[in-house]
Amino acid sequence: MITVCLNEANFEYDIHSLVKAFYPAEDVKVSADPAKIRELEEEQAPLFRLEVSYVKREDDGRNDAGIWQETDDGWEEAGIREEKSGGCTDKIAFHLSGSFVEDTAETLADFSNRADTKNRLKQCLYRMLSRHTDKTLPWGTLTGIRPTKIPMSMLEQGKAQAEIQAYMRENYLTSEQKIDLSIEIAKRELALLGQIDYSDGYSLYIGIPFCPSICSYCSFSSSPIGIWESQVDAYLDALEREIAFTAKTCGHKKLNTIYIGGGTPTTLMPKQLDRLLSKIEDSFDFSHLLEYTVEAGRPDSITREKLVVLRKHGISRISINPQTMKQETLDLIGRRHTVAQTIESFHLARELGFDNINMDLIVGLPGEELDDVRHTMEEICKLSPDNLTVHSLAIKRAAKFRMFPEDYAGMRMENNWEIIELTAKYAREQGLLPYYLYRQKNMAGNFENVGYAAEGKAGLYNILIMEEKQTILALGAGSISKRVEPGRKIVRCENVKDVAQYIARIGEMIERKKHLLCNC
């Protein structure tokens, strides 16, 4: 455990994320309540304590304020300056103490400029932790989930690549490799998004919250199909009501992409799949549709009959997700399918004419090392998918890995640069280029998820959900709609996660949508 004690509640998330990035195996506790920190430390001695002090210089009544200058011993007051808004008059002090370490660091700040203060804080803390761990982070001080937004925004402003590189290097201490990757992806995204109508267009997500079984790392809103089998038709009844309302309300808008996910949509029986897809087809105008994806997902849910239904309804893109091609790992994490089923499902989809197939992999799974990942990549390359999404394992609170850690005691969950570079090398050798990227909290090794695609096969919906440039209406239990307003303000609208509650309260879910869309 690592404790972080603040003299006031400010920038807690940023501090927690950065400390956790350097010490992923430690439980990091951040609080501005000294009594709470002492109580935690009495229960368990921390690896170290980090104290963060925000020091504010008050105006002395003459409309000028103390300023600070850097010396060999840190920052000291150096006189006064006129016009307080013209520079930094505050500072942030860090004190790190533990049985093996004692250190201090300070940085200037101007709390009237929150963005600049956050950058200064994170740079100073980063350098301090880097010094004591003797390591650097690939993404530097960037802890958000969408790092490509920075180069994307700068490219849209007409900034040159060299200027973007310098900005990310100096402001966020990002590695050259990640800077180049983020700029490459941002350029590709901009080209792909040129065909999307932001103002008059929208995209549609439809959630099927059922799976054959629940994977150990999963925290999505999904339930085993065996428990809900008798309620699936009732769920579709409710979903059809939400579909009908959305289609009627948005009839004047251009529908650009549809993504049916979950869960695992192919847990539905062929007749139920046909019913759902027919309802969508009958309700919406497809004349502006650029992409129609169904996440078939689990190979143990895929049959010829279901794939035939998808083909009949013009689905242009599907996912068949092995996660790994090591059978022992599949058994361990609760993926109740075999490697052979993955291969058979893929070949069946090709036989039926699907020419845009994505496959998801996870690196950092328990017990897997470099050779296991290499084996998985070699098996995937034999299949030659059109898309490949490589996820770094992120364990969330609701996942079995967290809830029942004793079941995985002694098993390493490791990710490293060598593994990430290996997956990128195999993808590029297959002609698959990176086209979208995002990060998650609690991600193994502080890395990222990267989507690779062959020319003309990139998933537009994946880019839209990350970049938040177009309204996405999400239907079904546990789904979250995001309406993009002028100025790119995001307004969210959530559906309840519980399937029974969604069915019982579908009228309320429609009212929420009505409020979200009232000014469309």
Side-chain angles (χ1 to χ4, degrees):
M1 179 180 71
I2 294 169
T3 54
V4 182
C5 188
L6 315 177
N7 71 334
E8 67 176 60
N10 218 341
F11 300 108
E12 299 100 310
Y13 172 81
D14 303 286
I15 293 168
H16 179 277
S17 299
L18 200 50
V19 175
K20 186 71 175 176
F22 276 99
Y23 294 91
E26 295 293 330
D27 194 10
V28 180
K29 302 293 187 182
V30 181
S31 177
D33 182 348
K36 184 176 181 179
I37 292 293
R38 282 196 300 271
E39 183 180 336
L40 288 168
E41 292 174 344
E42 287 171 2
E43 293 176 2
Q44 178 186 341
L47 180 66
F48 63 79
R49 171 198 272 213
L50 176 67
E51 295 177 358
V52 183
S53 300
Y54 302 107
V55 183
K56 298 180 180 178
R57 307 297 292 172
E58 299 297 334
D59 197 327
D60 64 5
R62 294 177 301 166
N63 197 31
D64 54 30
I67 62 173
W68 302 85
Q69 71 178 12
E70 189 172 13
T71 71
D72 291 339
D73 297 321
W75 296 96
E76 65 179 26
E77 195 167 4
I80 62 171
R81 66 162 171 77
E82 297 178 359
E83 298 302 331
K84 182 175 180 180
S85 62
C88 297
T89 61
D90 310 314
K91 72 174 180 178
I92 304 171
F94 300 93
H95 180 215
L96 190 151
S97 61
S99 58
F100 68 97
V101 64
E102 190 86 19
D103 195 10
T104 59
E106 296 176 343
T107 185
L108 289 176
D110 178 0
F111 291 122
S112 66
N113 185 338
R114 186 171 179 82
D116 182 68
T117 298
K118 181 170 75 170
N119 275 348
R120 290 170 178 268
L121 177 152
K122 293 174 77 173
Q123 287 175 8
C124 186
L125 179 56
Y126 177 95
R127 291 187 173 105
M128 185 185 206
L129 296 175
S130 181
R131 184 165 63 247
H132 287 286
T133 58
D134 195 29
K135 71 178 183 180
T136 58
L137 301 177
W139 287 103
T141 65
L142 288 173
T143 52
I145 67 172
R146 300 179 180 92
T148 55
K149 279 197 168 185
I150 297 165
M152 171 82 81
S153 175
M154 295 183 76
L155 286 169
E156 288 177 324
Q157 296 168 33
K159 305 292 186 183
Q161 180 164 323
E163 188 175 355
I164 300 171
Q165 290 169 324
Y167 179 83
M168 294 185 71
R169 187 186 309 116
E170 293 164 12
N171 285 273
Y172 304 111
L173 312 179
T174 314
S175 72
E176 295 298 330
Q177 185 179 20
K178 295 305 178 187
I179 291 172
D180 290 344
L181 176 64
S182 62
I183 293 174
E184 177 187 2
I185 289 174
K187 287 180 176 179
R188 198 161 284 126
E189 285 183 339
L190 279 173
L192 290 165
L193 292 177
Q195 57 192 312
I196 296 293
D197 190 327
Y198 295 152
S199 57
D200 291 326
Y202 73 103
S203 288
L204 187 68
Y205 173 86
I206 297 174
I208 305 299
F210 311 114
C211 275
S213 62
I214 305 303
C215 301
S216 303
Y217 53 79
C218 184
S219 62
F220 288 132
S221 300
S222 57
S223 304
I225 187 65
I227 296 176
W228 292 97
E229 210 158 6
S230 63
Q231 292 295 303
V232 172
D233 285 317
Y235 178 79
L236 293 177
D237 289 341
L239 185 58
E240 286 185 350
R241 287 181 60 188
E242 195 175 13
I243 288 170
F245 167 78
T246 304
K248 181 179 179 181
T249 306
C250 298
H252 61 296
K253 294 279 189 178
K254 300 172 184 176
L255 179 58
N256 290 153
T257 75
I258 302 174
Y259 191 101
I260 303 179
T264 306
T266 44
T267 50
L268 300 180
M269 299 301 291
K271 285 186 178 179
Q272 293 166 333
L273 259 181
D274 185 60
R275 171 188 171 183
L276 172 63
L277 298 175
S278 294
K279 178 63 177 179
I280 295 168
E281 211 170 87
D282 293 342
S283 302
F284 294 95
D285 178 4
F286 281 16
S287 59
H288 300 283
L289 193 66
L290 301 171
E291 178 181 275
Y292 196 170
T293 299
V294 172
E295 191 172 347
R298 297 274 292 264
D300 48 338
S301 71
I302 297 171
T303 65
R304 175 180 287 272
E305 291 76 17
K306 293 176 185 180
L307 291 176
V308 167
V309 170
L310 299 185
R311 284 292 292 164
K312 183 181 80 170
H313 288 279
I315 304 304
S316 59
R317 184 174 179 273
I318 64 171
S319 278
I320 298 173
N321 302 332
Q323 313 301 26
T324 175
M325 299 295 266
K326 183 179 179 181
Q327 189 62 51
E328 293 85 349
T329 306
L330 291 172
D331 296 339
L332 177 69
I333 64 177
R335 297 283 288 192
R336 295 179 184 171
H337 66 82
T338 65
V339 171
Q341 282 178 309
T342 298
I343 296 169
E344 290 165 7
S345 297
F346 189 92
H347 286 315
L348 178 58
R350 283 290 199 229
E351 177 191 326
L352 291 172
F354 287 96
D355 63 358
N356 194 351
I357 304 176
N358 172 72
M359 302 190 88
D360 278 8
L361 302 178
I362 297 178
V363 292
L365 289 168
E368 291 215 345
E369 298 179 352
L370 182 66
D371 285 343
D372 298 307
V373 177
R374 179 180 288 108
H375 168 73
T376 290
M377 294 304 299
E378 288 175 352
E379 292 302 305
I380 293 298
C381 286
K382 291 176 186 176
L383 297 173
S384 190
D386 310 285
N387 288 198
L388 179 67
T389 309
V390 180
H391 299 267
S392 291
L393 179 66
I395 305 173
K396 298 185 180 180
R397 283 193 297 257
K400 289 181 183 177
F401 282 157
R402 281 282 176 88
M403 297 168 69
F404 305 103
E406 64 277 5
D407 293 346
Y408 310 95
M411 292 187 178
R412 292 194 310 168
M413 285 180 268
E414 182 180 324
N415 197 9
N416 56 50
W417 271 107
E418 197 174 1
I419 288 175
I420 293 295
E421 289 172 356
L422 179 76
T423 58
K425 174 177 175 290
Y426 273 99
R428 288 183 185 272
E429 287 177 352
Q430 288 287 299
L432 306 179
L433 299 177
Y435 76 95
Y436 90 109
L437 177 154
Y438 69 101
R439 305 177 69 211
Q440 293 169 272
K441 291 172 64 177
N442 304 321
M443 180 172 279
N446 190 44
F447 293 101
E448 66 278 330
N449 303 327
V450 181
Y452 299 89
E455 185 68 31
K457 304 295 184 179
L460 292 172
Y461 177 86
N462 290 332
I463 301 173
L464 290 168
I465 197 69
M466 284 300 111
E467 296 303 331
E468 297 183 322
K469 290 176 177 289
Q470 186 190 55
T471 293
I472 296 179
L473 300 180
L475 319 183
S479 65
I480 303 174
S481 297
K482 293 182 181 181
R483 178 181 167 189
V484 182
E485 295 189 337
R488 293 187 183 172
K489 177 185 175 183
I490 308 297
V491 181
R492 295 159 62 95
C493 173
E494 301 184 11
N495 282 349
V496 292
K497 294 181 179 180
D498 182 78
V499 174
Q501 286 293 307
Y502 174 78
I503 294 170
R505 297 165 60 187
I506 186 58
E508 180 187 336
M509 299 305 102
I510 290 172
E511 283 299 314
R512 291 184 185 184
K513 284 283 189 311
K514 188 179 295 184
H515 181 71
L516 178 74
L517 300 172
C518 61
N519 294 320
C520 282

